[in-house]
Amino acid sequence: MQILEHIELSTKLETIRVSALHALAYCPRLFYLEEVEELYTQDAAVFAGRRLHAELEKQEDEDWEELFLTSEELGIRGRVDALRTRDGETIPYEHKRGRCHRDENKQPQAWESDKLQILAYCCLLESSLGIHIKEGRIRYHADDVLVHIPLDDLGRVAVREAIEKARNLRQSTHRPPITDNERLCARCSLAPVCLPEEARLAHDREWQPIRLFPEDDDRQIIHVLEPGTSVGRTGEQIKIARRNQPLETVPARQVAQLVLHSYSQISTQALHFCGEQGIGVHFISGGGRYLGSFDTRNGSIQRRVRQYTALSSPDICLELARKLVICRAQGQRKFLMRGKGKNKASEKLTKAIAQMKTVLKLVPLAKSLESLLGYEGNLAALYFDALPDLISPDAPAEMGFDIRNRRPPKDRFNCLLGFGYALLLKDIMNAILIVGLEPALGFYHQPRSQAAPLALDLMEIFRVPLVDMIITSSVNRNQWDIKTDFNIRGQQVWLSETGKRKFVELYENRKQETWKHPATGYSLTYRRLLELEVRLLEKEWMGEGGLFGQLIVR
């Protein structure tokens, strides 16, 4: 009982940030994402706002001071941008980078969320310091306007009502719906996480969404392929020391992922730094097998509880698995159809395409995951049996493909497939960790190996466009040196260091190509589509589903 009472007391004493009340007034869903699900992003506007406050802090003004306060009475805390004394009155100031609101007469006004924020600071000062505050002021720097906000009884009531609403939302397990005001979404830094346009499309298929999700991520993905290479940190940079090569340094803000192959290593300081900077760190063995990722997720427990609840339902798992099998098999079939259109189709290729169509019709009728696995196995067998017919007769015989084999691969084509799938698994894991879901909670694949089930599930969507297609194309273009790009060890075939470097370049270039999403109607790079698909999966159990698993090769 004492423990429970302590927990209840801690909950009561936990204060709310005044800036969170600003988010609440702007959009309750934004408040919930930040304060309950602990999701934060930093876009250009956020950094610009920080620079403005840093410049203001450098001002030398005797009656200017910054103050951090907490009020247990009100249950709020916050840092007042600045306090000034005028005619014996203490006045809190809030600084905004943008423009003020204008009423019908073009008179400057504060935005409602800004108004609530400065009023909350006024109440915080009164409660904490025991002084009377008459007004607060907001400086809008884009149009150099100063707006006065008087603190009266109505203002105090508005602040207390907002605090109560915030407390109730923090106790809720349900994410609020998206706002009806679309203009707010366009200016929101959390739009890439919230996906409001995709939510509107899920509820109204006639909706024409605009793309708020970033088209691309121009940060580098650094593959450390050379054994013995060490990765460290120097200041705000990542340093890479390769044997017999000059030291390389890269600003952390320019790095999205570090992929450590073979026996390269990373210092503890660099690992912690990458976690702080949101840089994914992944490990791949010398044989090209995905080993694992550095998990830096914090918070978002409520989201993973929802994931567990949803994926504990056999009906939900079966429905998602059906979508997954259809997505992968239709992509495989259409890839085979491409080959049929370019060349004189063999009887085996034509037959496989027709049989896959027949089996695909049975997938929606599957009553269990076990029966679905049977259909999937049949489809995969038909696909890989026909895949050799897509290889050009002019390609070297050593690059041919007969049957799918692995652990270890016994020919060069399977060696490429294995390494490609390892890179894809790494990227899927990176997307899952960025989004904040639990990789161990899947809906189709069962825990049976080192790979996380959810990552194996999501891989199915991208196998054809990101791995199978680039391997087949590169083989047909004679881009592989059968001697220098591979290491043959008895019946085992592995990529050499030069072969890995060549594959990584092909793979990363492919990820930079764009693909028009068939459900949303806008184009993104494959690199961004990986993360988008994970976020669309989460929407399947958030009441905004219907867009997941539709990325099918045209």
Side-chain angles (χ1 to χ4, degrees), residues 118-135:
I118 195 64
L119 287 174
Y121 279 129
C122 291
C123 293
L124 179 58
L125 285 166
E126 287 189 332
S127 176
S128 300
L129 303 182
I131 61 176
H132 180 68
I133 303 294
K134 287 185 176 181
E135 69 171 14

Side-chain angles (χ1 to χ4, degrees), residues 143-372:
D143 45 11
D144 194 23
V145 168
L146 182 65
V147 180
H148 296 243
I149 308 295
L151 177 63
D152 53 20
D153 290 341
L154 288 177
R156 293 184 178 89
V157 170
V159 170
R160 290 185 178 274
E161 288 179 347
I163 294 170
E164 184 63 23
K165 182 178 180 180
R167 286 174 176 162
N168 292 335
L169 267 179
R170 282 170 59 164
Q171 299 302 315
S172 174
T173 58
H174 300 287
R175 182 187 289 182
I178 57 172
T179 177
D180 293 330
N181 189 342
E182 302 161 35
R183 291 178 297 177
L184 296 180
C185 301
R187 296 195 299 267
C188 180
S189 63
L190 271 184
V193 173
C194 175
L195 298 184
E197 289 293 282
E198 291 77 4
R200 294 183 179 101
L201 178 62
H203 291 297
D204 179 7
R205 290 311 178 92
E206 300 301 319
W207 183 262
Q208 297 296 318
I210 59 173
R211 181 178 55 78
L212 299 179
F213 193 76
E215 182 178 3
D216 195 16
D217 182 351
D218 58 3
R219 296 177 298 165
Q220 300 180 52
I221 297 179
I222 299 177
H223 289 261
V224 181
L225 293 162
E226 304 82 359
T229 300
S230 61
V231 177
R233 172 195 179 182
T234 175
E236 297 297 306
Q237 296 183 316
I238 301 294
K239 64 178 181 179
I240 304 172
R242 295 181 171 91
R243 288 177 179 175
N244 304 319
Q245 292 188 33
L247 182 68
E248 178 185 353
T249 59
V250 185
R253 65 179 181 276
Q254 297 178 9
V255 181
Q257 293 181 40
L258 279 171
V259 188
L260 305 178
H261 297 253
S262 190
Y263 295 105
S264 54
Q265 57 188 344
I266 183 170
S267 70
T268 304
Q269 294 87 344
L271 198 59
H272 281 250
F273 182 56
C274 288
E276 294 169 0
Q277 299 295 314
I279 298 172
V281 180
H282 310 279
F283 301 89
I284 292 180
S285 73
R289 185 167 58 90
Y290 170 77
L291 296 176
S293 302
F294 182 45
D295 186 352
T296 59
R297 290 172 301 160
N298 292 309
S300 295
I301 301 301
Q302 184 61 51
R303 299 171 62 218
R304 294 200 284 279
V305 168
R306 292 196 203 101
Q307 178 188 354
Y308 178 80
T309 302
L311 300 187
S312 297
S313 166
D315 290 340
I316 292 177
C317 288
L318 180 59
E319 180 60 28
L320 291 174
R322 288 194 197 107
K323 292 183 178 182
L324 200 67
V325 172
I326 291 172
C327 180
R328 176 185 174 180
Q330 283 190 341
Q332 291 174 329
R333 182 172 179 271
K334 290 191 176 182
F335 182 38
L336 295 179
M337 291 173 68
R338 282 188 177 191
K340 178 182 177 182
K342 291 180 180 178
N343 308 305
K344 185 177 180 180
S346 67
E347 182 179 349
K348 183 172 65 174
L349 180 60
T350 302
K351 185 177 179 180
I353 293 171
Q355 288 180 326
M356 290 182 74
K357 182 178 181 180
T358 300
V359 177
L360 271 165
K361 293 179 180 179
L362 301 176
V363 171
L365 306 178
K367 301 299 183 182
S368 67
L369 290 179
E370 290 72 22
S371 60
L372 195 58

Side-chain angles (χ1 to χ4, degrees), residues 293-542:
S293 302
F294 182 45
D295 186 352
T296 59
R297 290 172 301 160
N298 292 309
S300 295
I301 301 301
Q302 184 61 51
R303 299 171 62 218
R304 294 200 284 279
V305 168
R306 292 196 203 101
Q307 178 188 354
Y308 178 80
T309 302
L311 300 187
S312 297
S313 166
D315 290 340
I316 292 177
C317 288
L318 180 59
E319 180 60 28
L320 291 174
R322 288 194 197 107
K323 292 183 178 182
L324 200 67
V325 172
I326 291 172
C327 180
R328 176 185 174 180
Q330 283 190 341
Q332 291 174 329
R333 182 172 179 271
K334 290 191 176 182
F335 182 38
L336 295 179
M337 291 173 68
R338 282 188 177 191
K340 178 182 177 182
K342 291 180 180 178
N343 308 305
K344 185 177 180 180
S346 67
E347 182 179 349
K348 183 172 65 174
L349 180 60
T350 302
K351 185 177 179 180
I353 293 171
Q355 288 180 326
M356 290 182 74
K357 182 178 181 180
T358 300
V359 177
L360 271 165
K361 293 179 180 179
L362 301 176
V363 171
L365 306 178
K367 301 299 183 182
S368 67
L369 290 179
E370 290 72 22
S371 60
L372 195 58
L373 282 167
Y375 294 141
E376 184 208 4
N378 194 351
L379 289 163
L382 290 168
Y383 170 70
F384 283 113
D385 189 48
L387 188 59
D389 283 34
L390 301 189
I391 300 175
S392 169
D394 298 327
E398 293 85 350
M399 295 303 301
F401 174 71
D402 182 33
I403 190 173
R404 179 79 175 108
N405 58 71
R406 51 184 174 167
R407 300 194 189 108
K410 297 181 175 58
D411 57 72
R412 291 170 177 81
F413 198 97
N414 274 288
C415 170
L416 294 175
L417 285 175
F419 188 65
Y421 292 151
L423 294 182
L424 176 58
L425 181 58
K426 177 269 300 181
D427 278 328
I428 293 293
M429 278 295 295
N430 188 73
I432 291 173
L433 296 178
I434 286 175
V435 173
L437 297 186
E438 175 51 62
L441 299 177
F443 54 87
Y444 186 39
H445 288 86
Q446 301 302 310
R448 64 175 186 273
S449 66
Q450 183 176 347
L454 186 64
L456 293 175
D457 287 346
L458 291 164
M459 269 186 70
E460 304 295 353
I461 297 172
F462 294 95
R463 285 180 187 266
V464 172
L466 284 184
V467 179
D468 299 5
M469 292 178 73
I470 64 170
I471 292 175
T472 305
S473 176
S474 64
V475 168
N476 289 341
R477 293 173 181 171
N478 292 319
Q479 291 181 272
W480 298 100
D481 188 308
I482 61 173
K483 294 182 179 180
T484 61
D485 289 339
F486 301 91
N487 291 327
I488 311 297
R489 303 172 190 170
Q491 292 187 340
Q492 303 177 17
V493 181
W494 308 103
L495 276 168
S496 66
E497 187 177 311
T498 58
K500 289 179 182 177
R501 188 172 290 108
K502 184 180 293 184
F503 194 105
V504 165
E505 183 178 1
L506 288 169
Y507 178 75
E508 295 297 344
N509 287 341
R510 175 63 167 173
K511 281 163 55 184
Q512 292 304 113
E513 296 179 17
T514 58
W515 190 4
K516 185 177 181 179
H517 197 289
T520 66
Y522 55 68
S523 296
L524 298 172
T525 61
Y526 285 99
R527 183 173 170 180
R528 294 301 295 169
L529 283 166
L530 290 164
E531 180 184 333
L532 177 63
E533 203 63 20
V534 180
R535 295 196 182 279
L536 292 180
L537 170 62
E538 185 182 22
K539 283 184 172 291
E540 291 294 320
W541 55 78
M542 297 292 291

